[in-house]
Amino acid sequence: MAGEIHTFFDGSWYQGDVAVMKAGDHGAWLGSTVFDGARLVNGLMPDLRPHLERVNRSAEAMLIKPTYTVEQMIEIVREGVTKFAPGEAIYIRPMYWGITGEASVVEPAYGGGTGFCMALEAMEMPAEDSAATLGKTRFRRPTLDVAVCNAKTGSLYPNNGRMIAEVRARGFTNALVTDQLGNVAESATANIFMVKDGEVFTPIANGTFLSGLTRARHIKNLRADGITVHEAVLTYADFEAADEVFLSGNFAKVTPVTQFEDTHYEIGPITKRTRELYWDWAKTDMKM
């Protein structure tokens, strides 16, 4: 059932969107929260292990101590998905947050208490013919010296929200975002690829955005299929000259882009091939 949630918290499962954080928790008022996302689709849980490994790395980057091993989290997920109807598409969301702070208060106390929950939510995959349109935004991706860019942290998302609000006011569904030098980094919500003359290009990971697990999977799959993939410095002009553009992220895996400002694209053969390769690979990875 769409919107159904089951939450693992404090060693037990609860049905529904239960309260897990207190007003005094460091994560509630000072933002020391990290999360990750994986998917259960058609009995497949592609790249579940790397997503769980990353949430523990994100916790370390946020200066909070992870309290569950990857193996423990896998068992929690396996137990949790049985609470849903067979065939339900589920979004798998592990989360950590700091409980207490050091003497400075601002710094979370590593080992001084870490909150954890695993929220599983029934959430359908977007339709294959759903697509995004992109607009330019004045908001940019930060660098590691001013934000925790090496973690999947909730503190980065308010800036994403500003980007999307800005471009939606102009009729687009997502933003094409640059780094501080003006080179394209990704969209407001997902990594990005473009196709030119049969070759694939994606912004080189320069530390200003999270280089996604699904992004890495697409690169590996495409190269194994004989398609040239470049990780390169790209500009708005490169995307204006592209033949195809698509987004890459855990939520939808592949989202075609049909417009960037005044430039329009068809949903092309490499975008479709990227999706086919992903789901063919997924059948070989972790299952329920």
Side-chain angles (χ1 to χ4, degrees):
M1 181 186 302
E4 178 183 359
I5 298 178
H6 292 271
T7 306
F8 178 89
F9 174 64
D10 201 21
S12 299
W13 279 102
Y14 301 88
Q15 184 168 2
D17 187 14
V18 301
V20 297
M21 196 179 291
K22 295 179 292 185
D25 285 1
H26 192 275
W29 70 296
L30 289 174
S32 56
T33 65
V34 298
F35 72 100
D36 218 291
R39 277 285 203 174
L40 169 67
V41 182
N42 297 326
L44 306 173
M45 296 187 287
D47 274 331
L48 175 62
R49 183 180 297 275
H51 280 288
L52 299 177
E53 290 171 344
R54 187 172 66 183
V55 77
N56 277 3
R57 292 197 305 271
S58 292
E60 294 281 1
M62 190 58 80
L63 306 180
I64 57 178
K65 184 177 182 179
T67 52
Y68 282 80
T69 68
V70 170
E71 297 302 329
Q72 287 172 325
M73 287 189 282
I74 288 174
E75 289 308 308
I76 290 169
V77 171
R78 288 194 183 280
E79 181 181 6
V81 298
T82 65
K83 301 180 181 297
F84 292 82
E88 192 81 74
I90 300 170
Y91 192 72
I92 300 166
R93 191 167 59 243
M95 292 175 275
Y96 285 114
W97 60 93
I99 299 293
T100 59
E102 296 285 6
S104 68
V105 180
V106 174
E107 179 190 355
Y110 186 89
T114 304
F116 172 83
C117 74
M118 180 76 71
L120 305 185
E121 182 172 359
M123 196 175 296
E124 290 298 319
M125 293 289 293
E128 288 193 4
D129 60 354
S130 63
T133 58
L134 304 179
K136 295 179 181 179
T137 175
R138 70 185 186 276
F139 301 112
R140 300 191 181 194
R141 283 282 175 248
T143 51
L144 188 58
D145 58 335
V146 298
V148 191
C149 301
N150 58 336
K152 193 169 179 67
T153 167
S155 61
L156 295 174
Y157 278 73
N159 200 37
N160 298 351
R162 296 194 303 176
M163 296 168 184
I164 292 176
E166 181 182 41
V167 298
R168 282 189 174 173
R170 298 174 50 231
F172 300 103
T173 63
N174 209 325
L176 189 58
V177 184
T178 67
D179 60 21
Q180 296 299 311
L181 297 178
N183 297 313
V184 171
E186 58 175 347
S187 78
T189 61
N191 296 143
I192 194 159
F193 290 79
M194 54 164 274
V195 181
K196 183 66 176 177
D197 298 329
E199 297 187 355
V200 176
F201 297 78
T202 190
I204 190 166
N206 61 2
T208 66
F209 63 94
L210 201 63
S211 177
L213 296 168
T214 308
R215 171 187 182 273
R217 187 62 60 191
H218 291 329
I219 292 172
K220 187 174 182 178
N221 288 345
L222 288 165
R223 286 174 174 168
D225 199 48
I227 298 172
T228 300
V229 181
H230 305 272
E231 295 183 80
V233 175
L234 300 171
T235 65
Y236 279 153
D238 292 312
F239 281 84
E240 291 166 346
D243 301 320
E244 302 175 43
V245 176
F246 61 91
L247 302 178
S248 158
N250 171 66
F251 182 76
K253 309 305 181 183
V254 175
T255 302
V257 173
T258 55
Q259 183 180 355
F260 168 49
E261 292 288 343
D262 295 328
T263 301
H264 294 263
Y265 315 100
E266 297 294 327
I267 301 176
I270 292 185
T271 300
K272 296 174 182 177
R273 182 61 177 157
T274 303
R275 179 185 280 122
E276 292 171 358
L277 290 170
Y278 181 85
W279 289 113
D280 285 347
W281 165 80
K283 294 172 185 175
T284 70
D285 198 52
M286 189 175 293
K287 299 176 175 63
M288 283 182 60

